[in-house]
Amino acid sequence: QLETLEQEEQECLELRPHPTEKTTHIVSHEHGMTVTKTLQEGEAEPQCHSFSYSRGRLRARLLEGAGLLLLRVLARRQTMPPDLVFPAINTEGDLCTSSY
């Protein structure tokens, strides 16, 4: 049983004259998971947006780290079940599916 406790992704774009930094922080808690997205463009005030998912909506969902671990296990076993699809959360924190 794999469970993601916390995940953070940071993306930096060195665009002149306004470099941009985007971070997505996902943290698990007793009621589900909270996603906080922050966007910093140049010298402007950072824009922050936070939202949560309940445990019920997250049931059996894979985050990026767990998906990478799953791919390593499948590669080690040298087997791939046909049409393998998992409910997932993408790097933006949105609910989606992941096909292998």
Side-chain angles (χ1 to χ4, degrees), residues 1 6-9 12 33 35-38 63 73 80 86 97:
Q1 171 127 2
E6 189 170 2
Q7 177 175 305
E8 185 157 337
E9 180 175 315
C12 297
M33 198 165 275
V35 178
T36 304
K37 295 163 55 167
T38 306
L63 268 69
V73 169
M80 179 66 77
F86 285 99
T97 58

Side-chain angles (χ1 to χ4, degrees), residues 30-71:
E30 66 180 282
H31 301 293
M33 198 165 275
T34 299
V35 178
T36 304
K37 295 163 55 167
T38 306
L39 179 65
Q40 172 80 47
E41 295 180 295
E43 299 297 320
E45 280 292 314
Q47 299 172 17
C48 190
H49 176 65
S50 187
F51 52 94
S52 295
Y53 294 113
S54 68
R55 286 251 180 233
R57 289 197 66 198
L58 294 173
R59 188 174 199 97
R61 290 205 182 261
L62 288 180
L63 268 69
E64 186 177 16
L68 289 174
L69 183 58
L70 175 64
L71 287 176

